[in-house]
Structure formats: C-alpha cells, structure tokens
Amino acid sequence: MRSRLLGDTSVAALAARAVLGGVFVFLGLAKAIEPVEFLKQIRQFELVSQPPALNLIAAVLPWFEVFCGALLVAGVRPKAAALPALVLLVGFTAAVALRAVGVQAASGLPFCQVRFDCGCGAGEILICAKLAENAALGLLALVVLIAPIRKEERPAAPPG
Amino acid sequence: MTRPPVRSVAAQSLIVTLAGIAAGLIANALSPRGISLTRDYFPDAARATPAPAAPPASTTTPANEPPAPTPAAVAAPVRLARSGIPLLDHARSLELFRDPRRAEGRILFVDARDDRHFQEGHIPGAIQFDHYRMEKNIAEVLPACQIAEQIVVYCNGGACEDSELVALDLLQLGIPATKLAVYLGGIAEWKRRGLPLATGERSPQQPIPR
C-alpha cells in the first residue's frame, strides 16, 4: 500500500508540502500560545476592532493555521489544505502591506526599512523580507495545488 | 498522473476550512490561555478618541534612548482625563514609591502586564492585575485597592494601553477615580532610570495588605 506521504510523487510537491506545512505549524503555534498578544496585534491593523469578529479571528486563526499545516505535513488532502493556506497568505500579505504603507507615511522611512510586529508569529519583521517570504510561501502553495498525483496502480486483470 | 477536478478540490477545501474552524474553536475553549469570544477587551472608554494612526516604525536609534511618544500614548491622557484618572510623571511616581506609606499598603503599585513580563521584572512591591486575565488575581487585588489611599497603575509605557485598561477596570469595580493614577512612563522608563526591580512572583515576604 502506497504511503500517504508519497501520495504526491512529485518531489517538488513533497518538498513544498513539508516546508509550507512546517511553517504554518510553527507560526500558528507561536500565535496560539499567546492569543492575547495576537488579539492586540490584529486590532492595530484596524480592519476589525470589536467582538465577536476580533475575538474570533484571534482565537481561531492560529489553530486553523496549525490544522492546515498539519494536514500538509501529513499529506492528508494536501490540495484541500493548500487552497485555504493560499487564501490566508494572500489576505495576510495584503493587510501587512497596507499597514506598512501607513507606517511609512507616518515615519517617512523608505518602504523597505519599515519594520514592525505584524502579528505573524515571528516578532518584529522588515516589511520587504516579509513580503518576499509570503510570496515564496504562496508559490509553494501553488506548487502543491497544481502538482499532479499518480493514480493508484490498478490490480492486473485475472487470466482467462 | 492526473489532477483532481477543480470542483473536487474546492469542495474538499471548504470541508477542511470548516473542520479547521471547528478545531480552532475547540482548541481555544480547551486552552488555559484561550480568550473569550464575546468579551470586549477594549471597551468604549478606550475608544473614546479616534483610533490613532499606525505607530512609527522602529528606527536605528540607540536602544537606551527613550522611544518617541506614539499617537496611542498621546491619546491615553485624553481618554483617562475623561474618566478623571490623572497621569503621573516619573518624578511623582518615584516620590510615591519612596513614600513610607507604601510599606503599609496605603500606596499601591499595580502592574498591568502578563505573567511572563511581570516575573521578568516589576517595580518592587507591585501586585499584578492582568486586564486580559482579571479572574486570576481579582480576589487579592480588589481588597488591596480598597485599603490603599493611592494606586499607581503601570505597564510597559509608550504605546502600551494596558495600564489605562486596568485603571478603567478598577474604576468599574468601584475604586474611586481620586485614588487611581497611571504612570505613563511605565517599566521602560523605570528601567531606563536604573531603578530597582523585583523578579518572580510576588514575594511571600510582601503579603498583600488586608
């Protein structure tokens, strides 16, 4: 019986799953163990500011990242996990970029020198490095989504 | 080699999303650090002024230079003034710290930060009251505040709102505004001035006055 870990025989897809899934599990856990800090950071984005929306995002999103990451690492429905991961990445990246524009306008710093705690689970970040990192993770999610999978080998027909 | 139909992936993604949300709700409910889904952690009093602009980014200024006041720090005095709670500068806060009445519990310093930051270093004799985990210490904090004649609440300083939130919590718990004050410079300014810090949980030698 073929192992689920080798269900996607493309090496690139396997590596993409492992890296993307690992990052999601790590960063998700970093946020999940400090949900109050994540709550404060989401509020700074000024996209949602009141319960229950603010509280739901802070409470659920980190664990949702861990869940998707675990599915990717384990190879359980990886494409189904990669799609919400990609949606999350696009949303996060847009929000972080928007906030960076605001910080740049307030501080007058060059865009790539803007740094702040984006609530991503990695502490304070340089915005350009973060955007590049998210773009790379998005690419990995796309690799997982579009990689073909091998049909399970059918048993040979009986003689006669 | 084949690719599953797009509709199949989309349908499975929807199931994964719903399962992930359910897993998140369950994990938050079971986690000792979980947060309430309905509690307003930033009540109306803290939103009395328009939301401040995004804070300035960190620069390469030396670490021991005081951080520039942020819009949030500028807005806090306005919000606190509406509740009748004064802000204290460092000189006044230090004067209260050195006042002999503090040893008797008649002057009380309240640290509004979480467990980790409190234990890493706090103003000696301060008691902890975390706005986000009020149930943890309220049974000890409230009687101590009722006895005290002057209560000084602090957090990290700068853009930290937690001292303001705790001061408003105490006000709502019935502590008169005349007793309350917020040390705006917070632990950052206390450390910058080289003043003593206590570490760990509240020392057994420093019982909370009854």
Side-chain angles (χ1 to χ4, degrees):
Chain A
M1 181 176 292
R2 186 175 303 280
S3 161
R4 280 198 177 275
L5 280 174
L6 297 177
D8 287 345
T9 55
S10 157
V11 171
L14 193 64
R17 269 204 289 120
V19 172
L20 182 65
V23 168
F24 264 61
V25 169
F26 178 77
L27 294 182
L29 282 175
K31 293 193 280 282
I33 61 175
E34 297 281 0
V36 168
E37 285 306 311
F38 188 48
L39 178 79
K40 294 181 192 179
Q41 282 148 8
I42 296 170
R43 183 166 168 262
Q44 290 184 12
F45 282 85
E46 299 178 4
L47 296 174
V48 286
S49 58
Q50 298 200 37
L54 176 66
N55 300 32
L56 265 171
I57 292 172
V60 171
L61 196 56
W63 292 110
F64 181 77
E65 284 185 50
V66 174
F67 182 77
C68 289
L71 290 179
L72 285 163
V73 169
V76 176
R77 294 286 185 263
K79 292 181 186 295
L83 184 54
L86 182 61
V87 170
L88 274 180
L89 279 166
V90 170
F92 264 140
T93 304
V96 168
L98 205 63
R99 185 164 177 228
V101 167
V103 171
Q104 184 201 18
S107 65
L109 286 171
F111 185 76
C112 282
Q113 286 186 26
V114 168
R115 64 189 303 155
F116 55 89
D117 189 339
C118 60
C120 313
E124 205 170 75
I125 48 96
L126 272 170
I127 184 58
C128 286
K130 188 61 189 171
L131 294 179
E133 177 190 315
N134 281 9
L137 291 174
L139 201 61
L140 294 179
L142 280 173
V143 168
V144 175
L145 273 171
I146 65 176
I149 56 173
R150 178 180 293 182
K151 279 186 188 173
E152 289 193 358
E153 293 180 346
R154 300 176 192 276
Chain B
M1 306 274 268
T2 63
R3 292 193 174 86
V6 171
R7 273 187 299 180
S8 173
V9 172
Q12 290 176 25
S13 289
L14 182 60
I15 294 170
V16 164
T17 298
L18 293 173
I21 291 171
L25 288 168
I26 293 168
N28 179 72
L30 295 175
S31 168
R33 294 170 181 254
I35 59 176
S36 164
L37 299 181
T38 54
R39 180 184 164 192
D40 186 358
Y41 288 97
F42 309 99
D44 288 341
R47 290 194 292 267
T49 53
S58 301
T59 64
T60 53
T61 52
N64 58 354
E65 278 195 13
T70 63
V74 170
V78 175
R79 293 195 295 258
L80 286 167
R82 293 184 184 186
S83 301
I85 299 173
L87 285 175
L88 300 182
D89 61 12
H90 177 75
R92 179 60 181 146
S93 302
L94 187 59
E95 187 183 333
L96 289 170
F97 176 75
R98 289 174 172 160
D99 191 312
R101 291 179 295 162
R102 187 175 66 85
E104 300 164 12
R106 292 159 63 196
I107 292 175
L108 187 65
F109 278 72
V110 175
D111 191 315
R113 299 173 299 155
D114 60 23
D115 288 349
R116 179 171 64 91
H117 290 103
F118 179 81
Q119 291 175 20
E120 281 175 359
H122 53 270
I123 293 176
I127 58 175
Q128 184 199 11
F129 192 41
D130 184 349
H131 166 73
Y132 305 92
R133 301 265 183 262
M134 286 170 58
E135 66 283 356
K136 180 170 176 279
N137 292 338
I138 190 171
E140 299 172 293
V141 169
L142 199 51
C145 289
Q146 287 164 344
I147 291 169
E149 297 166 5
Q150 175 70 65
I151 300 158
V152 180
V153 187
Y154 70 91
C155 61
N156 280 331
C160 177
E161 297 179 289
D162 293 343
S163 53
E164 174 198 346
L165 291 169
V166 163
L168 294 172
D169 288 334
L170 292 172
L171 188 67
Q172 288 183 352
L173 287 168
I175 305 299
T178 49
K179 283 191 184 184
L180 294 167
V182 169
Y183 172 24
L184 194 59
I187 202 71
E189 183 170 30
W190 192 267
K191 284 182 187 174
R192 203 165 50 244
R193 305 259 186 173
L195 290 165
L197 288 171
T199 56
E201 295 190 7
R202 186 177 178 84
S203 163
Q205 286 76 34
Q206 297 174 319
I208 296 171
R210 298 288 177 197

